[in-house]
Amino acid sequence: MTQKPGRNDPCPCGSGKKYKRCCGSKDSIDSRFLPDDQMTGTPMDEYFFLLPFLAIHEQKVTRFEKDGPEYKKARHQVEKRYRPGAEDGILDSHFMSWLYFDHRFGKSQKTLAERVLEDPLIAKLVEPGPTCLRQMAESYLTFYEVLESGPDVVLLGELGTGKRWSVFYFRELFNSTPETGEIWYTRLIGPPERALSYTTPYIYDPVTRGQFERGVRGQVDDFFKSPVSIGVPAERLYAESQKASALFWFEYILISNNAPQAMLSSVPSEWPKQSLPRIVNTDREDLIFTEMHFRVKDEKAARKKLATLRSFDHDEKHDSWEWLKGKSRVDPDEPRTVLGSFKFRDGRLVAETNSRERAARLEAKLDWHLRGLLILEKTLYRQLDDPPPIPPEELDALRKEDDEFNARPEVQDALRQYSEKYYFEKWPRKRVPALGNITPLQAAKTEKGRQKLEALLDYMGRLQDGAPDTKPRVDIDKLRRMLGLPPKAG
């Protein structure tokens, strides 16, 4: 498949040393870049053969390139945090595949695998080498449901897209077949009709399907709204959102209540069926839905007192109050996190939040501000997996309510003001990966930069054209004028 450098040939990493004295040395390649299962004599060999090229290029980057220190620092920080290969850490194959295939760094914001694809060394590869390397570079970690299981192939359904993958597994290593309904967190490589599981999957019970599906959907939405998604082709948006969220799921795996049990054998019969990993809120507190019921002595006096407070934001339409996190000192215009909410109901004040710690803080705040007016009667707790799935009709009603809220003139005006402030004041001075990690103002100073900027603004305009009417719109022509670009023709 390739012409490997001879032992006495110059090392392709550019060090000037012989290959046997440099990257060809047995000890020079970190053995941890190999997946957990050494499945030689299988279709996986075509991918295993490419791993030395990745290891060689990694050394080339760290030794000789300007991006080397940034790459080494990121690797060290992630290794320290997630302890790959340790009993209480994540699997090596998940860590190394993230490092090679997902981690973007340097001015180009390309992954190591994408850089290898551009390396002259790859010109020596013959098919299926380049195709396999491209498949590795495009792969991502995400969640799948086992739809069907046969003697040699398991049919997986991707939770985020519904896409189906026929995945070959190796009977020599697997003493039992996967069970229908299991949820896998893994990386698939190859075409959907004959893919391979590159990493040992983390396996979860079927009951967790809805939770993970909502989690993946949330990650996709967050990625789409972020500036990082600008310039990403539509067909790659989902894949890139999963690459960007890998460390998010590493964190969940690491802090799950049964971290040692999360380590999996390569033999499915030894894989434990896991429940949902430990989920936390933005304050890193266990996610427990908490509902406090207060008896109200004087509702009129309580409402009058609440009207004078800045700690809580009153929603007149729903006659409820939101407890918001304090404003950021760095960026006071950033949206504030909702920590809890409450409303009056049948002579009671009912407060809701999502952790015991927040509930205690909210109780203390209400007791302080409304002292003498409230008496706590009961507190109810629900675990994340306690509530039944939300019925479709209720989901439709919630979506309709959300759409109606976003369509309100005051909400539209607030969103428009925020978007204009961001794009006309902050965005021109922010580094944008799609522009080579330089700012739009810097890009506008060169011919090549202006071409990229034009393409990026055209893309932003197309995104706006396809967005719902309730989404705020930015005057792209005004942005062009600010950046010294001519208005779009036509």
Side-chain angles (χ1 to χ4, degrees), residues 91 94 143 148-149 169 206 229 233 305 318 438 450 462 465:
L91 292 167
H94 284 250
F143 290 89
E148 297 177 14
S149 180
Y169 65 93
S229 68
K305 181 63 176 177
H318 300 93
I438 62 175
R450 283 193 295 274
R462 290 196 300 273
D465 292 341

Side-chain angles (χ1 to χ4, degrees), residues 21 57 59 75 83 88 93 113 193 263 269 303 313 325-327 340 344 359 364 370 396 438:
R21 301 290 186 189
H57 196 85
Q59 294 193 20
R75 173 169 179 158
R83 302 182 293 280
D88 61 346
S93 62
E193 61 274 11
M263 303 308 299
S269 62
R303 286 178 173 273
D313 186 48
K325 192 172 185 177
K327 289 186 177 181
F344 292 97
L370 304 178
D396 290 339
I438 62 175

Side-chain angles (χ1 to χ4, degrees), residues 79-355:
E79 279 184 312
K80 183 178 179 181
R81 172 62 184 160
Y82 301 110
R83 302 182 293 280
E87 186 178 356
D88 61 346
I90 63 169
L91 292 167
D92 267 337
S93 62
H94 284 250
F95 165 66
M96 292 307 298
S97 66
W98 168 83
L99 189 68
Y100 283 177
F101 309 147
D102 299 341
H103 173 50
R104 298 190 176 280
F105 63 99
K107 288 186 176 181
S108 69
Q109 286 296 290
K110 292 182 179 179
T111 66
L112 191 80
E114 289 170 344
R115 294 165 186 246
V116 172
L117 282 167
E118 298 175 351
D119 194 286
L121 178 64
I122 298 306
K124 298 183 179 181
L125 281 176
V126 296
E127 291 293 353
T131 297
C132 289
L133 184 57
R134 195 171 300 107
Q135 290 170 350
M136 293 164 83
E138 294 175 352
S139 67
Y140 49 90
L141 288 159
T142 194
F143 290 89
Y144 302 88
E145 178 185 12
V146 176
L147 302 177
E148 297 177 14
S149 180
D152 297 304
V153 174
V154 58
L155 180 64
L156 300 181
E158 198 167 71
L159 292 192
T161 64
K163 184 178 179 180
R164 295 193 169 200
W165 298 75
S166 294
V167 182
F168 178 76
Y169 65 93
F170 308 103
R171 299 178 65 186
E172 303 90 344
L173 298 178
F174 295 173
N175 295 330
S176 65
T177 57
E179 297 179 10
T180 302
E182 290 176 345
I183 303 302
W184 287 17
Y185 182 65
T186 189
R187 180 185 300 271
L188 301 182
I189 52 175
E193 61 274 11
R194 49 182 180 85
L196 298 167
S197 181
Y198 184 82
T199 59
T200 301
Y202 284 95
I203 309 295
Y204 299 94
D205 283 327
V207 70
T208 63
R209 184 189 189 282
Q211 305 292 348
F212 283 124
E213 188 173 29
R214 285 192 288 274
V216 170
R217 192 184 304 125
Q219 292 294 331
V220 173
D221 290 343
D222 289 346
F223 180 81
F224 186 80
K225 295 173 184 175
S226 71
V228 180
S229 68
I230 297 175
V232 177
E235 67 274 11
R236 288 292 302 169
L237 278 171
Y238 178 77
E240 290 301 321
S241 73
Q242 299 309 287
K243 286 175 176 287
S245 63
L247 293 184
F248 172 86
W249 293 112
F250 284 6
E251 189 73 20
Y252 274 3
I253 292 170
L254 184 70
I255 63 178
S256 62
N257 290 330
N258 301 307
Q261 296 181 18
M263 303 308 299
L264 302 180
S265 163
S266 61
V267 182
S269 62
E270 299 174 3
W271 290 347
K273 300 298 184 294
Q274 300 176 28
S275 59
L276 189 69
R278 178 182 172 220
I279 309 296
V280 296
N281 60 24
T282 54
D283 293 325
R284 297 183 61 79
E285 300 159 351
D286 288 329
L287 202 64
I288 298 175
F289 298 111
T290 308
E291 190 174 276
M292 296 178 289
H293 291 247
F294 297 87
R295 180 161 55 87
V296 183
K297 292 183 178 180
D298 187 339
E299 181 175 329
K300 184 176 180 180
R303 286 178 173 273
K304 185 176 180 181
K305 181 63 176 177
L306 287 170
T308 66
L309 302 177
R310 295 184 179 180
S311 304
F312 307 114
D313 186 48
H314 186 219
D315 179 356
E316 294 182 1
K317 179 182 179 182
H318 300 93
D319 193 23
S320 62
W321 284 261
E322 289 185 340
W323 172 32
L324 302 176
K325 192 172 185 177
K327 289 186 177 181
S328 168
R329 294 182 179 179
V330 177
D331 195 344
D333 295 325
E334 284 294 314
R336 298 160 64 188
T337 302
V338 177
L339 303 177
S341 64
F342 57 88
K343 68 187 308 181
F344 292 97
R345 186 190 305 164
D346 301 327
R348 300 287 188 272
L349 185 147
V350 180
E352 297 179 342
T353 185
N354 61 13
S355 74

